[in-house]
Amino acid sequence: MKRLLHYLKPHPFITIMAPLFKMLEATFELFVPLVVAQMIDVGIAQSDRTYLLKMCFLLIGLGIVGFGFSLTAQYFAAKSAVSAGRAMRSDLFAHINTFSYREIDTVGTSTLINRMTNDVNQVQNGLNMFLRLFLRSPFVVFGAMIMAFTVNLRAAVPFAVTIPVLMAVVFAILLSSMPLYTKVQKQLDRVLLSTRENLLGIRVVRAFARQEEEKARFRDETGALYQKQIFVGKISALLNPLTYVIINLGIVAVLSFGGHQVNEGDLTQGQVIALVNYMSQILTELVKLANLVILLSKALASLSRVNAIFDLSPSITEEGSELSSADSLPKDIPAVSFENVGFAYAGSRKEALQGISFSVMPGETLGIIGGTGSGKTTLANLIPRFYDCTSGTIRLFGQDVKSLSPASIREHVGMVPQKATLFSGSLRDNIRFGKRDATDVEIYQALDTAQARDFVDQKGDGLDLSIQQGGTNLSGGQKQRLTIARALVGQPDILILDDSASALDFATDARLRKAIRENTHTQTVFLISQRVSAIRNADHILVLDDGCPAGYGTHQELLLSSPLYQEICASQSEGKEAYAK
């Protein structure tokens, strides 16, 4: 709740004025039964048409003024709630962007999306209704009770009994429904996860004709959500009928008490009508309050989920010293060195990497090869500090990466991930992810090196070529070459190519490797690949086997010393050529 108040502080005036204007509206509403009572006791009883007309104009005036106050209050409440929701969503997005891969892996992408959209919207709607009704409804309820006692003390006794009973019912249902709404939101996370997986993997689902199985899985998830929503809905639905029953019993009691007093002459007919009207006002407001309680239950459950993300501290902070440029350091300092490095993913008992040690000098190329799941990508992710190693030390140009700020590291590291990812927009905008102020000449140079210039020119739009979301209007090889160009345009000191040519044919792959060798003399290059041909000319080759080093040296050295490397070479079409050279 303290965090929510923080988002209301920038707009104190509208946040305070919204409920105050609602109270002013409610004040005028409380006078209506008294005016009606006077119309009955004076205007109708004495057949005074002039008085009746005057009271009618008074009622119309009260309605117009109350309506004006209501519109103003709702405008202020909506503006305050939307402003708070926008700021919360923006801060949550910024906070999520501070997470390392460890936190994102732990929480899950679908959960983060759901909390930034659905949960924040629930909080925003709950805040809007809270500002409009949290003062108005209790004010009308207790104000109507007080006004009833001013009309007649004995006849207002049912009010003193009815209202506490109603409040007990409302709070009992609130306390029972809040934990259930939390379960509903968790199940909504699962539905969103299923939806996201199917939409992103629609081609795979159709390729293996698994539509029916996925439909059945989605039905199971939505069915579970439906059952949870129905269960909590049944509990929440008790509010309205219970409220109506209690209020109508109160009206019966008012009519019974009031009827006897009218016969005794202690109470007028207009006063009885005023008491009934006050009881009806209480009924209306308690129905609103009941709906507000349901909405607040959802909002509080969503707020706790949003707070859980805010309270999750990133394991890698932005603090740290700046990484010195390679040009300003002695040439005998390794660009990257691993010293007995080990790493385990969150929740995993087994280390994905263990005992990794090597050094790569500036301008050298290190090839990394190994079987599927051997830890090649995990090792690559440790260099730009997407993860922190759990044991050992990683140094960039002699500096421990844990002492450096991630932002400064990534200014010197160009990363081409295993999965080629592009964003909607122009080709120019996508390439400038690697360097914000890159000129068209620099972009074309990067495209030439990445062997992407030919197909870009064939498209006819040049750097203004429109890229659809995820690069769906490009082939896999074209996307990979553009992601390589994006990393090259910034001319990083360290370039990491994580199996980034898997979709390229051998001829294009060969031209790409040749261009990278010719244009990256001062860069330290990490080549991660399943192909021996891609890494055989590297200065050093690291062979990984189930997270452990299984060989380190040149291509020729490994052919003599590493059985695993020999096996990998033999399993590929160039096996005999590899041994021959």
Side-chain angles (χ1 to χ4, degrees):
M1 192 61 68
K2 186 184 294 184
R3 181 170 283 113
L4 187 59
L5 292 175
H6 165 74
Y7 288 109
L8 294 174
K9 280 183 179 179
H11 309 282
F13 178 77
I14 59 176
T15 303
I16 294 171
M17 294 308 292
L20 288 181
F21 270 95
K22 272 293 180 181
M23 285 182 62
L24 288 173
E25 178 209 352
T27 303
F28 284 96
E29 192 173 317
L30 289 173
F31 285 112
V32 171
L34 296 180
V35 175
V36 173
Q38 288 297 107
M39 291 174 69
I40 294 171
D41 290 340
V42 179
I44 295 176
Q46 299 178 9
S47 300
D48 190 341
R49 293 185 178 181
T50 304
Y51 187 81
L52 279 174
L53 190 61
K54 184 171 68 174
M55 290 294 106
C56 283
F57 280 118
L58 180 58
L59 281 178
I60 293 171
L62 289 174
I64 292 172
V65 174
F67 180 69
F69 284 141
S70 177
L71 282 180
T72 306
Q74 289 181 205
Y75 170 78
F76 285 150
K79 186 172 182 180
S80 177
V82 170
S83 299
R86 179 186 61 185
M88 180 181 290
R89 192 178 295 108
S90 178
D91 286 354
L92 187 60
F93 181 76
H95 183 65
I96 289 172
N97 273 278
T98 66
F99 288 167
S100 69
Y101 282 14
R102 181 180 292 271
E103 286 78 46
I104 294 173
D105 293 343
T106 303
V107 179
T109 307
S110 59
T111 299
L112 293 174
I113 293 172
N114 195 27
R115 298 195 187 187
M116 195 167 56
T117 54
N118 182 270
D119 283 318
V120 174
N121 285 340
Q122 292 279 14
V123 173
Q124 181 177 306
N125 292 335
L127 179 59
N128 185 12
M129 296 302 295
F130 180 75
L131 291 176
R132 287 166 56 181
L133 296 176
F134 90 102
L135 279 183
R136 174 196 158 82
S137 292
F139 181 78
V140 171
V141 169
F142 290 105
M145 183 175 68
I146 293 169
M147 296 295 284
F149 276 102
T150 61
V151 172
N152 187 277
L153 194 61
R154 276 180 53 198
V157 170
F159 286 81
V161 177
T162 303
I163 291 176
V165 173
L166 282 170
M167 298 303 291
V169 169
V170 168
F171 281 105
I173 292 179
L174 171 65
L175 293 175
S176 60
S177 61
M178 271 188 63
L180 296 175
Y181 279 116
T182 302
K183 293 181 179 179
V184 168
Q185 292 299 107
K186 287 182 179 178
Q187 185 60 34
L188 190 61
D189 286 345
R190 296 180 61 87
V191 172
L192 182 62
L193 174 62
S194 179
T195 304
R196 183 175 181 274
E197 285 181 340
N198 273 274
L199 291 177
L200 291 177
I202 188 67
R203 291 178 176 82
V204 177
V205 173
R206 291 181 178 176
F208 288 94
R210 296 296 297 270
Q211 292 96 319
E212 295 305 318
E213 289 86 345
E214 290 303 312
K215 287 179 184 177
R217 185 164 74 96
F218 187 76
R219 278 195 299 269
D220 291 341
E221 297 293 356
T222 53
L225 177 62
Y226 170 79
Q227 293 298 331
K228 287 181 171 65
Q229 286 178 322
I230 288 294
F231 182 68
V232 69
K234 286 179 179 178
I235 294 177
S236 300
L238 290 173
L239 273 174
N240 282 355
L242 287 176
T243 303
Y244 274 99
V245 167
I246 295 170
I247 286 294
N248 280 299
L249 288 175
I251 291 175
V252 170
V254 167
L255 290 173
S256 176
F257 276 83
H260 288 298
Q261 287 184 277
V262 168
N263 288 332
E264 295 171 2
D266 295 335
L267 200 65
T268 65
Q269 293 176 343
Q271 289 175 323
V272 173
I273 297 299
L275 291 173
V276 172
N277 281 343
Y278 281 128
M279 191 64 80
S280 298
Q281 284 184 348
I282 292 173
L283 170 62
T284 302
E285 292 306 318
L286 282 174
V287 169
K288 292 180 183 177
L289 191 60
N291 292 325
L292 176 63
V293 165
I294 295 171
L295 195 61
L296 286 180
S297 298
K298 296 179 182 179
L300 289 172
S302 293
L303 181 61
S304 66
R305 285 160 50 83
V306 171
N307 282 334
I309 301 299
F310 274 120
D311 293 337
L312 183 62
S313 300
S315 57
I316 300 175
T317 65
E318 292 299 320
E319 298 176 354
S321 58
E322 293 292 316
L323 175 61
S324 302
S325 175
D327 298 334
S328 62
L329 295 170
K331 298 301 180 184
D332 59 344
I333 295 179
V336 180
S337 63
F338 276 53
E339 301 171 5
N340 197 30
V341 170
F343 173 77
Y345 287 100
S348 175
R349 296 180 180 178
K350 183 181 178 182
E351 285 190 324
L353 293 174
Q354 50 186 320
I356 306 295
S357 297
F358 63 83
S359 294
V360 185
M361 301 302 292
E364 289 187 339
T365 298
L366 174 67
I368 302 175
I369 195 168
T372 302
S374 59
K376 301 185 297 297
T377 298
T378 301
L379 187 150
N381 286 331
L382 294 177
I383 297 171
R385 210 183 170 196
F386 293 148
Y387 295 100
D388 267 343
C389 59
T390 50
S391 62
T393 305
I394 301 172
R395 299 184 189 278
L396 299 183
F397 301 105
Q399 302 170 73
D400 189 343
V401 292
K402 292 184 179 180
S403 68
L404 301 171
S405 71
S408 71
I409 293 174
R410 291 158 199 169
E411 287 178 1
H412 297 268
V413 177
M415 180 81 176
V416 183
Q418 197 169 23
K419 182 181 178 182
T421 302
L422 297 173
F423 300 91
S424 58
S426 69
L427 186 148
R428 180 185 288 104
D429 292 337
N430 271 274
I431 301 299
R432 280 180 175 170
F433 265 77
K435 184 180 180 183
R436 291 183 178 87
D437 58 349
T439 64
D440 288 359
V441 173
E442 291 174 324
I443 293 174
Y444 275 119
Q445 287 175 348
L447 291 174
D448 286 332
T449 304
Q451 306 302 302
R453 180 70 176 268
D454 290 343
F455 84 81
V456 170
D457 290 340
Q458 288 173 6
K459 296 284 186 181
D461 295 324
L463 299 182
D464 294 320
L465 174 66
S466 177
I467 306 295
Q468 294 180 6
Q469 183 181 2
T472 53
N473 59 331
L474 300 174
S475 70
Q478 289 171 343
K479 287 193 289 185
Q480 282 192 335
R481 281 178 279 174
L482 288 182
T483 56
I484 293 171
R486 182 174 61 194
L488 289 171
V489 74
Q491 298 181 341
D493 294 325
I494 300 169
L495 177 64
I496 303 171
L497 303 175
D498 184 5
D499 205 11
S500 54
S502 58
L504 303 183
D505 59 78
F506 283 98
T508 305
D509 185 20
R511 291 196 303 271
L512 173 63
R513 284 185 278 112
K514 180 182 178 182
I516 290 176
R517 280 198 306 271
E518 292 174 350
N519 294 283
T520 58
H521 296 297
T522 60
Q523 292 178 342
T524 304
V525 181
F526 285 78
L527 280 175
I528 300 173
S529 180
Q530 301 281 5
R531 299 175 182 174
V532 174
S533 61
I535 52 93
R536 62 182 298 161
N537 294 319
D539 297 300
H540 305 283
I541 298 172
L542 173 66
V543 185
L544 292 177
D545 181 26
D546 196 24
C548 299
Y552 185 78
T554 63
H555 173 70
Q556 296 297 334
E557 291 171 348
L558 291 172
L559 284 176
L560 299 174
S561 63
S562 174
L564 178 60
Y565 189 72
Q566 296 169 7
E567 182 183 337
I568 293 172
C569 290
S571 68
Q572 299 183 15
S573 60
E574 60 168 287
K576 293 182 180 179
E577 298 175 22
Y579 281 101
K581 293 183 179 179

